[in-house]
Coordinates of all heavy atoms in Angstrom, one line a residue:
I1 N 0.8 -1.2 0.0 CA 0.0 0.0 0.0 C 0.8 1.3 0.0 O 0.6 2.2 -0.7 CB -1.0 0.0 1.3 CG1 -2.1 -1.1 1.0 CG2 -1.5 1.4 1.5 CD1 -2.9 -1.3 2.2
F2 N 1.9 1.3 0.8 CA 2.8 2.4 0.8 C 3.5 2.6 -0.5 O 3.6 3.8 -1.0 CB 3.9 2.3 2.0 CG 3.4 2.9 3.3 CD1 2.7 2.2 4.2 CD2 3.8 4.2 3.5 CE1 2.3 2.7 5.4 CE2 3.4 4.8 4.8 CZ 2.7 4.0 5.7
F3 N 3.9 1.6 -1.1 CA 4.5 1.8 -2.5 C 3.6 2.2 -3.4 O 3.9 3.2 -4.2 CB 5.1 0.4 -2.9 CG 5.7 0.4 -4.2 CD1 6.9 1.0 -4.5 CD2 5.1 -0.3 -5.3 CE1 7.4 1.1 -5.8 CE2 5.6 -0.2 -6.6 CZ 6.8 0.4 -6.8
L4 N 2.4 1.7 -3.5 CA 1.4 2.1 -4.5 C 1.0 3.6 -4.3 O 0.7 4.3 -5.2 CB 0.2 1.1 -4.5 CG 0.5 -0.2 -5.0 CD1 -0.7 -1.1 -4.9 CD2 0.9 -0.2 -6.5
T5 N 0.8 4.0 -3.0 CA 0.3 5.3 -2.7 C 1.5 6.3 -3.1 O 1.1 7.4 -3.4 CB -0.1 5.5 -1.2 OG1 0.9 5.1 -0.4 CG2 -1.3 4.7 -0.9
F6 N 2.7 5.9 -3.0 CA 3.8 6.7 -3.4 C 3.6 7.0 -4.9 O 3.7 8.1 -5.4 CB 5.1 6.2 -3.1 CG 6.3 6.9 -3.8 CD1 6.7 8.2 -3.3 CD2 7.0 6.4 -4.8 CE1 7.7 8.8 -3.8 CE2 8.1 7.0 -5.3 CZ 8.4 8.3 -4.8
L7 N 3.4 5.9 -5.7 CA 3.3 6.1 -7.2 C 2.0 6.8 -7.5 O 2.0 7.7 -8.4 CB 3.1 4.6 -7.8 CG 4.4 3.8 -7.7 CD1 4.2 2.5 -8.4 CD2 5.6 4.5 -8.4
R8 N 0.9 6.6 -6.8 CA -0.4 7.1 -7.2 C -0.7 8.6 -6.5 O -1.5 9.3 -7.0 CB -1.5 6.3 -6.8 CG -1.6 4.9 -7.4 CD -2.6 4.0 -6.8 NE -2.6 2.7 -7.3 CZ -3.4 1.7 -7.0 NH1 -4.2 2.0 -6.0 NH2 -3.4 0.5 -7.5
G9 N 0.1 8.9 -5.5 CA -0.1 10.1 -4.8 C 1.2 10.9 -4.6 O 1.2 12.1 -5.0
G10 N 2.2 10.3 -4.0 CA 3.3 11.0 -3.7 C 4.0 11.7 -4.9 O 4.6 12.8 -4.7
L11 N 4.0 11.0 -5.9 CA 4.7 11.5 -7.2 C 3.9 12.6 -7.9 O 4.4 13.2 -8.8 CB 4.9 10.3 -8.2 CG 6.0 9.4 -7.7 CD1 6.2 8.4 -8.9 CD2 7.4 10.2 -7.5
E12 N 2.7 13.0 -7.3 CA 2.0 14.2 -7.8 C 2.7 15.4 -7.3 O 2.5 16.5 -7.9 CB 0.6 14.1 -7.4 CG -0.3 13.0 -8.0 CD -1.7 13.1 -7.4 OE1 -2.0 14.0 -6.7 OE2 -2.5 12.2 -7.7
E13 N 3.4 15.3 -6.1 CA 3.8 16.5 -5.5 C 4.8 17.4 -6.2 O 4.8 18.6 -6.1 CB 4.4 16.1 -4.0 CG 3.3 15.8 -3.1 CD 2.3 16.8 -3.0 OE1 2.6 18.0 -2.8 OE2 1.1 16.4 -2.9
P14 N 5.7 16.9 -7.1 CA 6.6 17.7 -7.9 C 5.7 18.7 -8.8 O 6.3 19.7 -9.2 CB 7.4 16.7 -8.7 CG 7.5 15.5 -7.8 CD 6.1 15.4 -7.2
G15 N 4.5 18.3 -9.1 CA 3.7 19.1 -9.9 C 2.9 20.1 -9.0 O 3.0 21.3 -9.2
W16 N 2.2 19.6 -8.0 CA 1.4 20.4 -7.1 C 2.2 21.4 -6.3 O 2.0 22.6 -6.3 CB 0.5 19.5 -6.2 CG -0.4 18.6 -6.9 CD1 -0.8 17.4 -6.3 CD2 -1.2 18.7 -8.0 NE1 -1.7 16.7 -7.2 CE2 -1.9 17.5 -8.3 CE3 -1.2 19.7 -9.1 CZ2 -2.8 17.4 -9.4 CZ3 -2.0 19.5 -10.2 CH2 -2.8 18.4 -10.3
R17 N 3.1 20.9 -5.5 CA 3.9 21.8 -4.6 C 5.2 22.3 -5.4 O 5.7 23.3 -5.0 CB 4.4 21.0 -3.2 CG 3.6 21.4 -2.1 CD 2.0 21.5 -2.2 NE 1.5 20.2 -2.4 CZ 0.2 20.0 -2.4 NH1 -0.7 21.0 -2.2 NH2 -0.3 18.9 -2.7
G18 N 5.7 21.5 -6.3 CA 7.0 21.8 -7.0 C 6.8 23.0 -8.0 O 7.8 23.7 -8.2
I19 N 5.6 23.1 -8.7 CA 5.4 24.1 -9.7 C 4.3 24.9 -9.5 O 4.3 26.2 -9.3 CB 5.3 23.4 -11.1 CG1 6.6 22.7 -11.6 CG2 4.8 24.5 -12.1 CD1 7.7 23.8 -11.9
A20 N 3.1 24.3 -9.2 CA 1.8 25.0 -9.2 C 1.7 26.0 -7.9 O 1.4 27.2 -8.1 CB 0.6 24.0 -9.0
L21 N 2.1 25.4 -6.8 CA 2.1 26.3 -5.5 C 3.0 27.5 -5.5 O 2.6 28.6 -5.3 CB 2.3 25.4 -4.2 CG 2.4 26.3 -3.0 CD1 0.9 26.8 -2.7 CD2 2.6 25.3 -1.8
P22 N 4.3 27.3 -6.0 CA 5.2 28.5 -6.1 C 4.6 29.5 -7.1 O 4.7 30.7 -6.8 CB 6.5 28.0 -6.6 CG 6.4 26.5 -6.1 CD 5.1 26.1 -6.2
L23 N 4.1 29.1 -8.2 CA 3.5 30.0 -9.2 C 2.3 30.8 -8.6 O 2.2 32.0 -8.8 CB 3.2 29.2 -10.4 CG 4.3 28.8 -11.3 CD1 3.7 28.1 -12.5 CD2 5.2 29.9 -11.7
L24 N 1.4 30.0 -7.9 CA 0.3 30.7 -7.4 C 0.6 31.7 -6.3 O 0.0 32.7 -6.1 CB -0.6 29.6 -6.8 CG -1.5 28.8 -7.8 CD1 -2.1 27.5 -7.2 CD2 -2.5 29.6 -8.6
Q25 N 1.7 31.3 -5.4 CA 2.1 32.3 -4.4 C 2.8 33.5 -4.9 O 3.0 34.5 -4.1 CB 3.0 31.5 -3.4 CG 2.2 30.5 -2.6 CD 2.9 29.9 -1.4 OE1 2.6 30.1 -0.3 NE2 4.0 29.2 -1.7
K26 N 3.1 33.5 -6.2 CA 3.6 34.8 -6.7 C 2.5 35.8 -7.0 O 2.8 36.9 -7.0 CB 4.4 34.4 -8.1 CG 5.7 33.8 -8.0 CD 6.4 33.7 -9.4 CE 7.7 33.0 -9.3 NZ 8.3 32.9 -10.6
R27 N 1.3 35.3 -7.0 CA 0.1 36.1 -7.4 C -0.8 36.3 -6.2 O -1.4 37.4 -6.1 CB -0.7 35.6 -8.5 CG 0.0 35.4 -9.9 CD -0.8 35.1 -11.0 NE -1.9 36.1 -11.2 CZ -2.8 36.1 -12.0 NH1 -3.0 35.0 -12.8 NH2 -3.8 37.1 -12.1
F28 N -0.8 35.3 -5.3 CA -1.8 35.4 -4.2 C -1.1 35.1 -2.9 O 0.1 34.6 -2.8 CB -2.9 34.4 -4.4 CG -3.6 34.3 -5.7 CD1 -3.4 33.3 -6.7 CD2 -4.5 35.4 -6.1 CE1 -3.9 33.3 -7.9 CE2 -5.1 35.3 -7.3 CZ -4.8 34.4 -8.2
N29 N -1.8 35.4 -1.8 CA -1.1 35.0 -0.5 C -1.3 33.5 -0.4 O -2.0 32.8 -1.2 CB -1.9 35.7 0.7 CG -3.3 35.4 1.0 OD1 -3.7 34.2 0.9 ND2 -4.2 36.3 1.3
A30 N -0.7 32.9 0.6 CA -0.6 31.5 0.7 C -1.9 30.8 0.9 O -2.1 29.6 0.4 CB 0.4 31.1 1.9
T31 N -2.8 31.4 1.6 CA -4.2 30.9 1.8 C -5.0 30.7 0.6 O -5.5 29.7 0.1 CB -5.0 31.6 3.0 OG1 -4.2 31.4 4.2 CG2 -6.3 30.9 3.1
I32 N -5.0 31.9 -0.2 CA -5.8 31.9 -1.4 C -5.1 30.9 -2.5 O -5.7 30.2 -3.2 CB -5.9 33.3 -2.0 CG1 -6.6 34.2 -1.1 CG2 -6.5 33.3 -3.4 CD1 -6.7 35.6 -1.5
A33 N -3.8 30.9 -2.5 CA -3.1 30.1 -3.4 C -3.4 28.6 -3.1 O -3.6 27.8 -4.0 CB -1.6 30.2 -3.3
S34 N -3.5 28.3 -1.8 CA -3.8 26.9 -1.4 C -5.2 26.6 -1.9 O -5.6 25.4 -2.3 CB -3.8 26.7 0.1 OG -2.5 27.0 0.6
V35 N -6.2 27.5 -1.7 CA -7.6 27.2 -2.1 C -7.7 26.9 -3.7 O -8.3 26.0 -4.1 CB -8.5 28.4 -1.8 CG1 -9.9 28.2 -2.4 CG2 -8.7 28.5 -0.3
V36 N -6.9 27.8 -4.4 CA -6.9 27.6 -5.9 C -6.3 26.2 -6.3 O -6.9 25.5 -7.1 CB -6.1 28.7 -6.6 CG1 -6.0 28.4 -8.1 CG2 -6.9 30.0 -6.3
L37 N -5.2 25.9 -5.5 CA -4.6 24.7 -5.9 C -5.4 23.4 -5.4 O -5.5 22.4 -6.1 CB -3.2 24.6 -5.1 CG -2.3 23.3 -5.3 CD1 -2.2 23.0 -6.8 CD2 -1.0 23.4 -4.6
G38 N -6.1 23.6 -4.3 CA -7.0 22.6 -3.9 C -8.1 22.3 -4.8 O -8.5 21.1 -5.1
V39 N -8.7 23.3 -5.5 CA -9.7 23.1 -6.6 C -9.0 22.4 -7.8 O -9.6 21.5 -8.4 CB -10.3 24.5 -7.1 CG1 -11.2 24.3 -8.2 CG2 -11.1 25.1 -5.9
I40 N -7.9 22.8 -8.2 CA -7.1 22.2 -9.2 C -6.9 20.7 -9.0 O -7.1 19.8 -9.7 CB -5.8 22.9 -9.6 CG1 -6.0 24.3 -10.1 CG2 -4.9 22.1 -10.6 CD1 -4.8 25.2 -10.1
W41 N -6.4 20.4 -7.8 CA -6.0 19.1 -7.3 C -7.3 18.2 -7.4 O -7.3 17.1 -7.9 CB -5.5 19.1 -5.9 CG -5.0 17.9 -5.3 CD1 -4.8 16.7 -5.9 CD2 -4.4 17.8 -4.0 NE1 -4.4 15.8 -5.0 CE2 -4.0 16.4 -3.9 CE3 -4.2 18.7 -2.9 CZ2 -3.5 15.9 -2.7 CZ3 -3.6 18.2 -1.8 CH2 -3.3 16.9 -1.7

């Protein structure tokens, strides 16, 4: 389960936190950026 959840979930993070969150935080505060990212996710 841990291995599969890494493949199915953990490896999403280079996209969500690695690219999307930094870009959103350039335009919005951290809370609003998180809401927008949550909707995208």
